[in-house]
């Protein structure tokens, strides 16, 4: 996989970054979304494929992206297809910080040091070129406005944005209600994006222990577009913070 384009995790994170405050919207669910976005990116690269509600490695060859290849290797070591909900709900220590640091190295964001309450060190991330975020947002806006089926990458991004609750960040208030509804409906245009998005919502709702009823067969979305996003359930564990993550307030 070449590095001439942004990956879905990177695009999802740029969508979530507030250009004014330098914080990320929906931080806890965003961590789940980034793990899901890795699965979709690996599927688009032809490395994995859906098998019912599970994920199977079909081509273990590295993509050239270190973070994606780490996820691919972990999936390969499982030896058998893994349920998407179990994978997304597993520990992903520092995944958001990994991608923030990567975007900083690529020059797409820059870190701004500060303090919380005048004592605790914090780090916020400001986009260096808001045109990139505007271009990503424009793809979603176009799909919502025109009703034309989007390409698989945009459809998957829309599904993930809906699943982590970015709809109310991107299209706030009563005036954004119809856009949020159309964003949700875009979930049906990509089978892998639909599978992963529902898995993200299941983890938030604490229903990861049981298989989804009527799980769709491979190549078909599981109940795509039929289920609204809900707020994360109480008791969903947030990712622990260590090292650099302890200093980051990107939420």
């Amino acid at each position: 996989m070449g590095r001439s384009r942004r990956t879905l995790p990177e695009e999802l994170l740029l969508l979530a970054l507030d250009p004014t405050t330098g914080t990320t919207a929906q931080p806890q669910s965003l961590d789940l979304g980034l793990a899901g976005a890795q699965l979709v990116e690996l599927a688009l690269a032809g490395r994995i494929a859906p098998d019912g509600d599970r994920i199977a490695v079909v081509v273990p060859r590295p993509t050239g992206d270190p973070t994606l290849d780490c996820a691919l290797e972990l999936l390969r070591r499982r030896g058998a297809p893994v349920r998407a909900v179990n994978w997304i709900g597993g520990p992903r220590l520092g995944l958001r910080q990994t991608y923030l640091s990567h975007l900083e190295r690529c020059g797409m964001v820059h870190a701004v040091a500060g303090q919380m309450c005048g004592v605790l060190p914090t780090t916020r991330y400001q986009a260096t070129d808001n045109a990139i975020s505007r271009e990503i947002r424009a793809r979603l806006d176009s799909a919502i406005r025109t009703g034309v089926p989007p390409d698989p990458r945009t459809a998957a991004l829309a599904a993930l944005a809906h699943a982590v609750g970015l709809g109310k960040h991107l299209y706030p208030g009563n005036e954004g209600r119809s856009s949020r509804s159309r964003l949700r409906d875009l979930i049906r245009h990509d089978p892998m994006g639909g599978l992963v998005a529902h898995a993200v919502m299941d983890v938030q709702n604490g229903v990861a222990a049981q298989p989804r009823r009527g799980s769709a067969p491979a190549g078909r979305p599981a109940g795509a577009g039929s289920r609204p996003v809900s707020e994360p359930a109480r008791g969903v564990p947030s990712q622990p913070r260590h090292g650099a993550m302890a200093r980051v307030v990107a939420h």
Side-chain angles (χ1 to χ4, degrees), residues 19-234:
T20 303
T21 65
T23 61
T24 54
Q26 303 297 109
Q28 290 186 338
S29 55
L30 181 61
D31 291 335
L32 302 175
L34 291 173
Q38 287 186 314
L39 292 180
V40 179
E41 189 66 51
L42 287 170
L44 289 171
R47 301 309 198 267
I48 64 175
D51 181 7
D53 67 346
R54 297 175 182 268
I55 304 298
V57 175
V58 293
V59 178
R61 185 177 71 251
T63 66
D65 180 298
T67 309
L68 289 175
D69 288 341
C70 179
L72 179 62
E73 176 61 14
L74 290 174
L75 285 167
R76 186 193 67 79
R77 290 179 184 177
R78 294 290 185 96
V82 59
R83 289 183 64 212
V85 70
N86 290 341
W87 174 262
I88 290 170
R92 293 290 178 271
L93 180 62
L95 187 58
R96 188 168 17 130
Q97 180 60 37
T98 295
Y99 276 107
L100 283 169
S101 297
H102 170 74
L103 291 177
E104 185 180 18
R105 288 193 300 272
C106 292
M108 285 188 272
V109 302
H110 68 275
V112 179
Q115 288 185 329
M116 180 184 294
C117 301
V119 179
L120 298 175
T122 64
T123 303
R124 299 178 185 272
Y125 291 85
Q126 302 285 163
T128 56
D129 185 358
N130 288 327
I132 297 175
S133 296
R134 287 195 297 269
E135 181 272 326
I136 299 170
R137 170 71 178 271
R139 284 162 42 207
L140 293 185
D141 290 345
S142 177
I144 288 172
R145 183 179 64 254
T146 65
V148 176
D151 61 275
R153 180 172 293 276
T154 300
L157 180 62
L160 289 162
H162 164 70
V164 303
L166 287 184
K168 60 187 177 183
H169 168 70
L170 299 171
Y171 308 104
N174 289 332
E175 65 275 15
R177 183 177 299 174
S178 61
S179 293
R180 293 195 299 272
S181 178
R182 295 189 188 105
L183 180 71
R184 178 198 65 210
D185 291 343
L186 290 176
I187 200 172
R188 72 182 186 273
H189 291 294
D190 180 64
M192 186 66 177
L195 168 65
V196 168
H198 281 299
V200 168
M201 289 186 282
D202 278 350
V203 173
Q204 292 180 80
N205 291 324
V207 294
Q210 297 297 327
R212 173 182 295 279
R213 291 183 179 179
S215 295
R220 295 179 59 190
S226 62
R227 172 176 169 176
V229 72
S230 60
E231 292 299 321
R234 291 184 180 180

